[in-house]
Amino acid sequence: MTNLNQQLLTIKQRMADAAIQYQRELDDITLLAVSKTKPADMIEALYHLGQRSFGENYLQEARDKQQVLSTLDIEWHFIGPIQSNKTRDIAENFAWVHSVDRLKIAKRLSQQRPDNLPPLNLCIQVNIEQETTKAGVSLDALPELIASICELPRIKLRGLMSIPAKKDSIDQQRTAFARLAQAKQAYSAVTPLDTLSMGMSEDIEAAIAEGATIIRVGSALFGARG
Ligand SMILES: *Cc1c(COP(=O)(O)O)cnc(C)c1O
């Protein structure tokens, strides 16, 4: 068995174990393979092992790989920082965007989403711990941003995403994820949100415990990044 195959099985096992431990339906949790800095042939190998959703952070790198892999039925997710001059390429070439934290970006994505494609699935990135160095809207500013994004015709607002700081214990990890889950719950009355994009290689169990529906896994799947 290849390393990639083994690592995929290990992640699937962690997901299955966590689903049992925290009484979640495994089918409600999607594995997003975060392939930033990794070559197209690794994506293709994972694809042939059954993986369909891939996440990329850097637009040019992603576009290069998309061109090489254009015959594969991959669902591409953009999860990196978004500059406003890059929105058209994102709107035209991705099914999902997880990293929107400003209305201006969401508006451009809506305007630029091609008519022949379904509405762009979008998650709002939330800075749950108010870290000054990190992207994401604050919990305070979230209601207004949700209300505005809901009005955009070519966007389908799916939920919330976060990248909390590294923690020492699963309890601390869970506390951070629980805040995102509470925020989603609070707005579900206003607009149906079905997605919590949270959990990475080191904290997928905590994320699943708190209701993650998409976990974004890079290094545990592809190996450490250079
Ligand atoms: C790189 C990255 C990941 C994956 O992180 P790992 O720790 O390698 O699993 C997930 N989400 C985002 C937004 C990332 O940039």
Side-chain angles (χ1 to χ4, degrees):
M1 205 177 348
T2 65
N3 276 348
L4 208 50
N5 197 343
Q6 221 144 42
Q7 281 151 201
L8 179 62
L9 288 177
T10 301
I11 291 292
K12 295 260 166 139
Q13 192 60 52
R14 283 175 65 187
M15 292 171 70
D17 290 346
I20 290 170
Q21 183 171 0
Y22 300 109
Q23 299 171 358
R24 298 282 317 278
E25 291 288 335
L26 193 53
D27 284 349
D28 293 342
I29 309 161
T30 299
L31 173 61
L32 179 65
V34 175
S35 43
K36 64 179 173 219
T37 79
K38 300 298 178 182
D41 59 4
M42 283 183 97
I43 297 176
E44 186 167 9
L46 262 191
Y47 180 90
H48 291 303
L49 294 169
Q51 179 64 28
R52 288 293 176 272
S53 303
F54 290 86
E56 290 279 344
N57 293 60
Y58 310 107
L59 186 60
Q60 192 51 55
E61 180 194 332
R63 294 291 298 125
D64 290 346
K65 292 180 214 174
Q66 286 175 340
Q67 262 136 36
V68 176
L69 302 170
S70 62
T71 59
L72 305 186
D73 182 25
I74 290 177
E75 183 179 83
W76 292 99
H77 295 231
F78 193 82
I79 63 172
I82 305 172
Q83 293 163 278
S84 52
N85 64 346
K86 301 287 169 62
T87 51
R88 181 175 301 280
D89 238 8
I90 294 172
E92 290 176 352
N93 294 292
F94 289 81
W96 283 73
V97 180
H98 294 231
S99 42
V100 172
D101 62 3
R102 290 184 286 155
L103 182 58
K104 178 185 173 189
I105 297 293
K107 275 185 175 161
R108 291 176 63 95
L109 290 169
S110 180
Q111 279 158 5
Q112 295 167 343
R113 181 68 170 173
D115 286 332
N116 63 324
L117 295 178
L120 181 63
N121 295 295
L122 186 145
C123 290
I124 297 174
Q125 184 171 352
V126 182
N127 186 348
I128 37 181
E129 296 165 317
Q130 316 266 25
E131 295 171 89
T132 49
T133 56
K134 224 171 244 176
V137 66
S138 69
L139 283 170
D140 291 343
L142 186 57
E144 201 180 322
L145 187 57
I146 288 179
S148 306
I149 288 180
C150 281
E151 310 272 297
L152 299 173
R154 301 291 294 140
I155 296 290
K156 183 165 186 188
L157 181 61
R158 299 296 296 268
L160 307 177
M161 178 275 227
S162 192
I163 316 173
K166 275 203 194 329
K167 302 290 187 323
D168 295 328
S169 73
I170 187 162
D171 286 343
Q172 288 173 316
Q173 291 168 352
R174 286 187 63 168
T175 301
F177 291 139
R179 295 184 67 185
L180 195 71
Q182 278 155 16
K184 169 176 167 284
Q185 193 56 36
Y187 301 113
S188 288
V190 183
T191 180
L193 301 177
D194 62 14
T195 301
L196 276 176
S197 168
M198 61 188 196
M200 316 201 302
S201 293
E202 292 180 6
D203 52 19
I204 70 173
E205 287 80 8
I208 288 171
E210 297 301 336
T213 63
I214 300 180
I215 56 169
R216 308 180 310 268
V217 180
S219 48
L221 200 47
F222 291 100
R225 286 179 295 274

